[in-house]
């Protein structure tokens, strides 16, 4: 292998050439990993090689120890630990460290990345102990290139998300801090070195907590950072304000002194900086302050509710102290809009808007006077920048102040804001739509359905028609409006009813506009879904007609599959198919829950069922692999099966190949998860008629449980599906009982330590919910079919799990409700008191009492607990009579 040529090809603009080169590197690594590392390290350190070749060598070395999947990452790291000779390791690391001193900055950067990837493996295992001291020495004694590259290396190491490395870095905090603070001082003459140091300091702040607890060290760190905010180099200023942001988030309780002495003034000056990137970071500092103080208020309120004074956090009210200085600057920055900015571009005016929103949440009604003064002064300003800022400012403060304070202001402002939708400048119109959307979302009760609703709907649809740039704001506002005026579930009519037909017609027209791009079309379909979801009973005939239109459109998309010539074409078509199918799904759900459904099932839904399934199956047959469309199609088919119940059997033979394919497709977890849920839906709908398909269902589900491709999050749903299948086929489930029981018993053995991660705790709770749901379905099935004699071997393990649930404080309402169901179902299955000894233990009655008496639980849960209590009483009484 000509290493120079291969490395050159990894940088080729031609995808085929680049992929071939990358494949050659992978093959070389597989054949002789040690030799591969040595060759690349020598090329990285070769001062005679071209800069881009050295950089490519460093990237290839770094990539040798990188992987997106956790298991794969551990594999490549183990290859270094177990299959590379120690002498080779030392040689490779020494060459990388040597490269840090190179005058070639690109090579030094690549070496830094590679060193960080090795550090992630060795530092947590107490290997390479000399690394940090070497880097510190480089910063103290090396030339500028060595200093900069060494500081960059420290920054890369501290950027890690690897939990083991993060834990190990705390023991190196002194070394890290010595290096980065030394490089970040104002005495450092080289701006590149100082920039690398301040960047590394920002990355290391989480690991120097011990140092930050020391007042003397903390004062020095803060002095260095504050001085860096005054640098002439914008890069250093950005890094310094970034450090202040992180410090405020990590060490709020230590910031009172520094806020009073320096940070108030420095950050306000920073927000006015002519360099936009510097100003944005200074604004973000106040965003962080707001977020911290909002969080502290929430935490302290919860501590007070629980009468836990020791859990309260210090609150210094920085936002309230500084709002008279900070808010006027934010309002002024709102006028710095860039009319050419794209929707996702984060500029200074958008940063200021975000901060103003947070400020309103942090200080509540205090925000109103300065903002109202600004709005009144600028609402009719000749400059569109000021008009836009005024409208935006009013919308920004809709969350935070009390609604009763905002109510009169909103009612006064609504006609003005609606009128602003007719402004001559598109930016102002768009901001007015967004501000109205904020009102609909946050202060909905201030909108009068008779006075405000008609002009609001008219203004939003007019905005949609006038310019595609307003699509996102108008559609979001319309969705908020639909949520506001939905009325009670199942109501005969609501305030939307008089406008429903026109709204649907308008939205359908928008989706067909010639100038409609994907974003506008998708947004319009989302609004359509929102209006359908929030419709009243009197609008259901319109929804039935809408379904016909949607089906026609969806059918026309199938031949388009043959016209795709690019990835963009495919994404556009899939987005359209997903949007159309989503409208069908929402329509079916609305019909199912509406009281109107029962009367119109024969007239509206059943005649369309054939066509719905034919078209959905055509779509499934046309889309390629890795498509997102089948997810929505499966959800829609699930809704249709729920609506048709046993009549859905007519479509099973045509649909089942697609369902089996999805169940067996572990490479697409999202689709597989939808298929698992669909098995539950179909089982509940078909009842015993699902039995011919159950052998295959069970085989696929058991295979997915044992497979390694699907994550743990799928297991609870699979267990729950066992319960749904059991209830559907009743006594026929005895064919699977022993296998499923073994699976449930194994799952019940999974536990988590008290100090375990939140993710693991949530998983165990979900797993236990799935186990309980499975046993509940099985017990009901065996009782209904007269086969309770099959259950005794499993009673003991069921009560063991119930006992574990009772003793574990980590339990959800759903888990307790399912547990109540199992307790009651099992007692009901053995009415003669055969298992009364299990029910007499104190924890059973205590568990029921706690669940029944929890005021935070829903009526469904407490009712289930009451029912369980009655079943337990009967069980124990029968047991006494038999004694």
């Amino acid at each position: 292998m000509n290493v120079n040529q291969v490395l050159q090809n990894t940088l080729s603009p031609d995808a085929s050439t680049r992929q071939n080169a990358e494949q050659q590197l992978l093959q070389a690594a597989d054949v002789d990993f040690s030799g591969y590392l040595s060759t690349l390290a020598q090329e990285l350190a070769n001062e005679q090689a071209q800069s881009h070749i050295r950089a490519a060598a460093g990237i290839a070395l770094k990539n040798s120890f990188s992987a997106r999947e956790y298991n794969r990452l551990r594999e490549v790291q183990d290859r270094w630990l177990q299959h590379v000779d120690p002498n080779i390791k030392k040689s490779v690391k020494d060459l990388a460290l040597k490269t840090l001193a190179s005058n070639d900055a690109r090579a030094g950067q690549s070496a830094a990345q590679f060193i960080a990837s090795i550090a992630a493996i060795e530092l947590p295992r107490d290997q390479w102990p000399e690394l940090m001291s070497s880097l510190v020495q480089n910063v103290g004694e090396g030339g500028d290139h060595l200093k900069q590259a060494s500081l960059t290396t420290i920054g890369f190491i501290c950027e890690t998300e690897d939990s083991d490395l993060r834990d190990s870095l705390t023991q190196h905090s002194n070394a890290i801090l010595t290096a980065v603070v030394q490089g970040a001082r104002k005495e450092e003459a080289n701006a590149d070195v100082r920039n690398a140091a301040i960047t590394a300091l920002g990355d290391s702040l989480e690991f120097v907590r011990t140092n930050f607890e020391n007042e003397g060290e903390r004062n020095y760190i803060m002095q260095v950072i504050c001085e860096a905010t005054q640098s002439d180099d914008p890069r250093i200023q950005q890094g310094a304000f970034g450090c202040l942001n992180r410090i405020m988030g990590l060490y709020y309780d230590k910031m009172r002194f520094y806020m009073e002495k320096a940070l108030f003034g420095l950050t306000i000056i920073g927000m006015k900086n002519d360099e936009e990137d510097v100003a944005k970071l200074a604004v973000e500092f106040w965003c962080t302050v707001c977020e911290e103080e909002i969080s502290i208020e929430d935490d302290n309120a919860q501590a007070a509710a629980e009468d836990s004074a020791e859990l309260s956090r210090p609150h210094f009210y920085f936002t309230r102290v500084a709002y008279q200085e900070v808010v006027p600057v934010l309002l002024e920055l709102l006028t710095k809009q860039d009319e050419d900015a794209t929707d996702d571009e984060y500029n200074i005016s958008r940063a200021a808007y975000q901060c103003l929103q947070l400020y309103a949440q942090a200080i509540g009604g205090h925000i109103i006077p300065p903002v109202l003064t600004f709005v009144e002064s600028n609402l009719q300003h000749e400059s569109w920048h000021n008009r836009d800022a005024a409208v935006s400012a009013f919308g920004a403060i809709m969350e935070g102040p009390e609604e009763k304070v905002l109510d009169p202001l909103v009612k006064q402002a609504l006609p003005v804001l609606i009128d602003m939708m007719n402004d001559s400048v598109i930016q102002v119109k768009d901001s007015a739509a967004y501000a109205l959307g904020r009102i609909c979302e946050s202060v909905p009760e201030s909108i009068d359905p008779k006075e405000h609703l008609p002009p609001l709907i008219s203004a939003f649809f007019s905005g949609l028609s006038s310019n595609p740039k307003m699509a996102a704001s108008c559609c979001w506002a319309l969705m908020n409006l639909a949520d506001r005026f939905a009325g009670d579930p199942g109501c005969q009519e609501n305030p939307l009813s008089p406008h429903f037909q026109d709204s649907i017609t308008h939205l359908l027209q928008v989706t067909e506009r010639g100038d409609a791009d994907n974003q506008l079309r998708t947004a319009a379909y989302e609004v359509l879904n929102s209006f359908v979801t929030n419709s009243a009973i009197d609008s259901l005939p319109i929804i039935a007609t809408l379904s016909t239109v949607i089906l026609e459109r969806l059918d026309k998309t199938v031949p388009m599959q043959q016209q795709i010539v690019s990835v963009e074409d495919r994404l556009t078509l899939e987005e359209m198919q997903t949007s159309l199918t989503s409208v069908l799904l929402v329509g079916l759900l609305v019909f199912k829950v509406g009281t109107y459904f029962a009367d119109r099932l024969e007239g509206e839904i059943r005649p369309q069922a054939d066509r719905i399934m034919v078209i959905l199956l055509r779509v499934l047959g046309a889309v390629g692999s890795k498509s997102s469309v089948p997810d929505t199609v499966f959800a829609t088919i699930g809704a249709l099966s729920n609506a048709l119940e046993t009549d859905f059997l007519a479509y099973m033979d045509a649909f089942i190949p697609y369902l089996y394919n999805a169940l067996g497709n572990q490479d697409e977890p999202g689709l597989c998860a939808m298929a698992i849920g669909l098995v539950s839906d179909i089982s509940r709908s078909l009842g015993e008629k699902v039995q011919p398909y159950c052998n295959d269902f069970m085989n696929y589900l058991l295979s997915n449980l044992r497979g390694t491709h699907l994550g743990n999050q799928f297991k609870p749903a699979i267990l729950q599906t066992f319960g749904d299948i059991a209830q559907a086929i009743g006594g026929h489930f005895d064919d699977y009982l022993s296998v499923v029981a073994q699976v449930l018993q194994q799952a019940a053995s999974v536990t988590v330590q008290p100090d375990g991660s939140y993710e693991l705790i949530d998983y165990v709770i979900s797993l236990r919910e799935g186990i309980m749901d499975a046993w509940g379905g099985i017990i009901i099935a065996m009782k209904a079919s007269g086969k309770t004699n099959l259950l005794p071997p499993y009673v003991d393990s069921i009560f063991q799990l119930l006992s574990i649930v009772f003793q574990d404080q980590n339990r959800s309402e759903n888990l307790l409700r399912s547990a109540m169901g199992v307790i009651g179902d099992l007692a009901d299955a053995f009415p003669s008191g055969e298992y009364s000894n299990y029910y007499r233990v104190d924890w059973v009655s205590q568990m029921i009492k706690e669940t029944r008496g929890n005021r935070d639980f829903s009526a469904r849960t407490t009712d289930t607990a009451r029912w369980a209590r009655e079943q337990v009483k009967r069980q124990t009484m029968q047991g006494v009579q038999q004694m």
Side-chain angles (χ1 to χ4, degrees), residues 361-374:
Q361 295 171 46
I363 68 172
H366 295 284
I367 198 82
I368 292 176
V371 170
L372 277 189
T373 300
F374 178 82

mmCIF file with all atom_site columns, all heavy atoms in Angstrom, residues 361-374:
data_model
loop_
_atom_site.group_PDB
_atom_site.id
_atom_site.type_symbol
_atom_site.label_atom_id
_atom_site.label_alt_id
_atom_site.label_comp_id
_atom_site.label_asym_id
_atom_site.label_entity_id
_atom_site.label_seq_id
_atom_site.pdbx_PDB_ins_code
_atom_site.Cartn_x
_atom_site.Cartn_y
_atom_site.Cartn_z
_atom_site.occupancy
_atom_site.B_iso_or_equiv
_atom_site.pdbx_formal_charge
_atom_site.auth_seq_id
_atom_site.auth_comp_id
_atom_site.auth_asym_id
_atom_site.auth_atom_id
_atom_site.pdbx_PDB_model_num
ATOM 1   N N   . GLN A 1 361 ? -39.566 35.091 32.003 1.00 0.00 ? 361 GLN A N   1
ATOM 2   C CA  . GLN A 1 361 ? -39.866 33.948 32.868 1.00 0.00 ? 361 GLN A CA  1
ATOM 3   C C   . GLN A 1 361 ? -39.162 34.075 34.215 1.00 0.00 ? 361 GLN A C   1
ATOM 4   O O   . GLN A 1 361 ? -39.664 33.607 35.236 1.00 0.00 ? 361 GLN A O   1
ATOM 5   C CB  . GLN A 1 361 ? -39.432 32.653 32.184 1.00 0.00 ? 361 GLN A CB  1
ATOM 6   C CG  . GLN A 1 361 ? -40.220 32.335 30.920 1.00 0.00 ? 361 GLN A CG  1
ATOM 7   C CD  . GLN A 1 361 ? -39.626 31.179 30.152 1.00 0.00 ? 361 GLN A CD  1
ATOM 8   O OE1 . GLN A 1 361 ? -39.287 30.150 30.722 1.00 0.00 ? 361 GLN A OE1 1
ATOM 9   N NE2 . GLN A 1 361 ? -39.477 31.326 28.843 1.00 0.00 ? 361 GLN A NE2 1
ATOM 10  N N   . ALA A 1 362 ? -37.983 34.709 34.218 1.00 0.00 ? 362 ALA A N   1
ATOM 11  C CA  . ALA A 1 362 ? -37.194 34.817 35.456 1.00 0.00 ? 362 ALA A CA  1
ATOM 12  C C   . ALA A 1 362 ? -37.722 35.892 36.390 1.00 0.00 ? 362 ALA A C   1
ATOM 13  O O   . ALA A 1 362 ? -37.727 35.713 37.615 1.00 0.00 ? 362 ALA A O   1
ATOM 14  C CB  . ALA A 1 362 ? -35.729 35.076 35.115 1.00 0.00 ? 362 ALA A CB  1
ATOM 15  N N   . ILE A 1 363 ? -38.190 37.029 35.841 1.00 0.00 ? 363 ILE A N   1
ATOM 16  C CA  . ILE A 1 363 ? -38.577 38.142 36.722 1.00 0.00 ? 363 ILE A CA  1
ATOM 17  C C   . ILE A 1 363 ? -40.066 38.478 36.649 1.00 0.00 ? 363 ILE A C   1
ATOM 18  O O   . ILE A 1 363 ? -40.541 39.390 37.333 1.00 0.00 ? 363 ILE A O   1
ATOM 19  C CB  . ILE A 1 363 ? -37.736 39.402 36.434 1.00 0.00 ? 363 ILE A CB  1
ATOM 20  C CG1 . ILE A 1 363 ? -38.060 40.000 35.067 1.00 0.00 ? 363 ILE A CG1 1
ATOM 21  C CG2 . ILE A 1 363 ? -36.249 39.101 36.558 1.00 0.00 ? 363 ILE A CG2 1
ATOM 22  C CD1 . ILE A 1 363 ? -37.380 41.351 34.824 1.00 0.00 ? 363 ILE A CD1 1
ATOM 23  N N   . GLY A 1 364 ? -40.807 37.763 35.807 1.00 0.00 ? 364 GLY A N   1
ATOM 24  C CA  . GLY A 1 364 ? -42.257 37.951 35.766 1.00 0.00 ? 364 GLY A CA  1
ATOM 25  C C   . GLY A 1 364 ? -42.665 39.361 35.382 1.00 0.00 ? 364 GLY A C   1
ATOM 26  O O   . GLY A 1 364 ? -42.161 39.954 34.431 1.00 0.00 ? 364 GLY A O   1
ATOM 27  N N   . GLY A 1 365 ? -43.596 39.931 36.144 1.00 0.00 ? 365 GLY A N   1
ATOM 28  C CA  . GLY A 1 365 ? -44.186 41.230 35.809 1.00 0.00 ? 365 GLY A CA  1
ATOM 29  C C   . GLY A 1 365 ? -43.219 42.391 35.787 1.00 0.00 ? 365 GLY A C   1
ATOM 30  O O   . GLY A 1 365 ? -43.532 43.440 35.210 1.00 0.00 ? 365 GLY A O   1
ATOM 31  N N   . HIS A 1 366 ? -42.058 42.258 36.404 1.00 0.00 ? 366 HIS A N   1
ATOM 32  C CA  . HIS A 1 366 ? -41.067 43.346 36.376 1.00 0.00 ? 366 HIS A CA  1
ATOM 33  C C   . HIS A 1 366 ? -40.646 43.690 34.942 1.00 0.00 ? 366 HIS A C   1
ATOM 34  O O   . HIS A 1 366 ? -40.183 44.803 34.687 1.00 0.00 ? 366 HIS A O   1
ATOM 35  C CB  . HIS A 1 366 ? -39.827 42.962 37.191 1.00 0.00 ? 366 HIS A CB  1
ATOM 36  C CG  . HIS A 1 366 ? -40.102 42.787 38.661 1.00 0.00 ? 366 HIS A CG  1
ATOM 37  N ND1 . HIS A 1 366 ? -40.291 43.848 39.519 1.00 0.00 ? 366 HIS A ND1 1
ATOM 38  C CD2 . HIS A 1 366 ? -40.231 41.663 39.411 1.00 0.00 ? 366 HIS A CD2 1
ATOM 39  C CE1 . HIS A 1 366 ? -40.518 43.393 40.739 1.00 0.00 ? 366 HIS A CE1 1
ATOM 40  N NE2 . HIS A 1 366 ? -40.488 42.063 40.704 1.00 0.00 ? 366 HIS A NE2 1
ATOM 41  N N   . ILE A 1 367 ? -40.777 42.726 34.029 1.00 0.00 ? 367 ILE A N   1
ATOM 42  C CA  . ILE A 1 367 ? -40.330 42.937 32.646 1.00 0.00 ? 367 ILE A CA  1
ATOM 43  C C   . ILE A 1 367 ? -41.261 43.864 31.879 1.00 0.00 ? 367 ILE A C   1
ATOM 44  O O   . ILE A 1 367 ? -40.876 44.468 30.870 1.00 0.00 ? 367 ILE A O   1
ATOM 45  C CB  . ILE A 1 367 ? -40.235 41.570 31.912 1.00 0.00 ? 367 ILE A CB  1
ATOM 46  C CG1 . ILE A 1 367 ? -39.374 41.672 30.650 1.00 0.00 ? 367 ILE A CG1 1
ATOM 47  C CG2 . ILE A 1 367 ? -41.632 41.062 31.516 1.00 0.00 ? 367 ILE A CG2 1
ATOM 48  C CD1 . ILE A 1 367 ? -37.932 41.591 30.885 1.00 0.00 ? 367 ILE A CD1 1
ATOM 49  N N   . ILE A 1 368 ? -42.507 44.011 32.340 1.00 0.00 ? 368 ILE A N   1
ATOM 50  C CA  . ILE A 1 368 ? -43.530 44.691 31.534 1.00 0.00 ? 368 ILE A CA  1
ATOM 51  C C   . ILE A 1 368 ? -43.245 46.177 31.311 1.00 0.00 ? 368 ILE A C   1
ATOM 52  O O   . ILE A 1 368 ? -43.293 46.639 30.151 1.00 0.00 ? 368 ILE A O   1
ATOM 53  C CB  . ILE A 1 368 ? -44.928 44.472 32.150 1.00 0.00 ? 368 ILE A CB  1
ATOM 54  C CG1 . ILE A 1 368 ? -45.319 42.997 32.023 1.00 0.00 ? 368 ILE A CG1 1
ATOM 55  C CG2 . ILE A 1 368 ? -45.972 45.347 31.475 1.00 0.00 ? 368 ILE A CG2 1
ATOM 56  C CD1 . ILE A 1 368 ? -46.636 42.646 32.692 1.00 0.00 ? 368 ILE A CD1 1
ATOM 57  N N   . PRO A 1 369 ? -42.947 46.991 32.337 1.00 0.00 ? 369 PRO A N   1
ATOM 58  C CA  . PRO A 1 369 ? -42.778 48.433 32.095 1.00 0.00 ? 369 PRO A CA  1
ATOM 59  C C   . PRO A 1 369 ? -41.726 48.789 31.045 1.00 0.00 ? 369 PRO A C   1
ATOM 60  O O   . PRO A 1 369 ? -42.040 49.542 30.108 1.00 0.00 ? 369 PRO A O   1
ATOM 61  C CB  . PRO A 1 369 ? -42.423 48.984 33.482 1.00 0.00 ? 369 PRO A CB  1
ATOM 62  C CG  . PRO A 1 369 ? -43.072 48.017 34.430 1.00 0.00 ? 369 PRO A CG  1
ATOM 63  C CD  . PRO A 1 369 ? -42.923 46.682 33.795 1.00 0.00 ? 369 PRO A CD  1
ATOM 64  N N   . PRO A 1 370 ? -40.481 48.283 31.142 1.00 0.00 ? 370 PRO A N   1
ATOM 65  C CA  . PRO A 1 370 ? -39.512 48.670 30.107 1.00 0.00 ? 370 PRO A CA  1
ATOM 66  C C   . PRO A 1 370 ? -39.891 48.176 28.717 1.00 0.00 ? 370 PRO A C   1
ATOM 67  O O   . PRO A 1 370 ? -39.642 48.874 27.719 1.00 0.00 ? 370 PRO A O   1
ATOM 68  C CB  . PRO A 1 370 ? -38.201 48.034 30.579 1.00 0.00 ? 370 PRO A CB  1
ATOM 69  C CG  . PRO A 1 370 ? -38.591 46.962 31.543 1.00 0.00 ? 370 PRO A CG  1
ATOM 70  C CD  . PRO A 1 370 ? -39.848 47.428 32.174 1.00 0.00 ? 370 PRO A CD  1
ATOM 71  N N   . VAL A 1 371 ? -40.495 47.009 28.637 1.00 0.00 ? 371 VAL A N   1
ATOM 72  C CA  . VAL A 1 371 ? -40.880 46.485 27.318 1.00 0.00 ? 371 VAL A CA  1
ATOM 73  C C   . VAL A 1 371 ? -42.034 47.293 26.746 1.00 0.00 ? 371 VAL A C   1
ATOM 74  O O   . VAL A 1 371 ? -42.020 47.643 25.548 1.00 0.00 ? 371 VAL A O   1
ATOM 75  C CB  . VAL A 1 371 ? -41.238 44.992 27.423 1.00 0.00 ? 371 VAL A CB  1
ATOM 76  C CG1 . VAL A 1 371 ? -41.868 44.497 26.114 1.00 0.00 ? 371 VAL A CG1 1
ATOM 77  C CG2 . VAL A 1 371 ? -40.003 44.172 27.739 1.00 0.00 ? 371 VAL A CG2 1
ATOM 78  N N   . LEU A 1 372 ? -43.036 47.609 27.547 1.00 0.00 ? 372 LEU A N   1
ATOM 79  C CA  . LEU A 1 372 ? -44.164 48.400 27.040 1.00 0.00 ? 372 LEU A CA  1
ATOM 80  C C   . LEU A 1 372 ? -43.706 49.774 26.566 1.00 0.00 ? 372 LEU A C   1
ATOM 81  O O   . LEU A 1 372 ? -44.181 50.282 25.548 1.00 0.00 ? 372 LEU A O   1
ATOM 82  C CB  . LEU A 1 372 ? -45.226 48.550 28.121 1.00 0.00 ? 372 LEU A CB  1
ATOM 83  C CG  . LEU A 1 372 ? -46.224 47.404 28.289 1.00 0.00 ? 372 LEU A CG  1
ATOM 84  C CD1 . LEU A 1 372 ? -47.332 47.811 29.253 1.00 0.00 ? 372 LEU A CD1 1
ATOM 85  C CD2 . LEU A 1 372 ? -46.837 47.002 26.949 1.00 0.00 ? 372 LEU A CD2 1
ATOM 86  N N   . THR A 1 373 ? -42.807 50.385 27.311 1.00 0.00 ? 373 THR A N   1
ATOM 87  C CA  . THR A 1 373 ? -42.276 51.690 26.893 1.00 0.00 ? 373 THR A CA  1
ATOM 88  C C   . THR A 1 373 ? -41.610 51.589 25.529 1.00 0.00 ? 373 THR A C   1
ATOM 89  O O   . THR A 1 373 ? -41.817 52.433 24.643 1.00 0.00 ? 373 THR A O   1
ATOM 90  C CB  . THR A 1 373 ? -41.262 52.199 27.935 1.00 0.00 ? 373 THR A CB  1
ATOM 91  O OG1 . THR A 1 373 ? -41.912 52.325 29.199 1.00 0.00 ? 373 THR A OG1 1
ATOM 92  C CG2 . THR A 1 373 ? -40.688 53.548 27.517 1.00 0.00 ? 373 THR A CG2 1
ATOM 93  N N   . PHE A 1 374 ? -40.835 50.532 25.343 1.00 0.00 ? 374 PHE A N   1
ATOM 94  C CA  . PHE A 1 374 ? -40.153 50.310 24.062 1.00 0.00 ? 374 PHE A CA  1
ATOM 95  C C   . PHE A 1 374 ? -41.169 50.059 22.951 1.00 0.00 ? 374 PHE A C   1
ATOM 96  O O   . PHE A 1 374 ? -41.050 50.600 21.843 1.00 0.00 ? 374 PHE A O   1
ATOM 97  C CB  . PHE A 1 374 ? -39.200 49.122 24.195 1.00 0.00 ? 374 PHE A CB  1
ATOM 98  C CG  . PHE A 1 374 ? -38.477 48.766 22.926 1.00 0.00 ? 374 PHE A CG  1
ATOM 99  C CD1 . PHE A 1 374 ? -37.341 49.452 22.543 1.00 0.00 ? 374 PHE A CD1 1
ATOM 100 C CD2 . PHE A 1 374 ? -38.937 47.739 22.113 1.00 0.00 ? 374 PHE A CD2 1
ATOM 101 C CE1 . PHE A 1 374 ? -36.666 49.125 21.375 1.00 0.00 ? 374 PHE A CE1 1
ATOM 102 C CE2 . PHE A 1 374 ? -38.275 47.395 20.944 1.00 0.00 ? 374 PHE A CE2 1
ATOM 103 C CZ  . PHE A 1 374 ? -37.131 48.097 20.569 1.00 0.00 ? 374 PHE A CZ  1
#
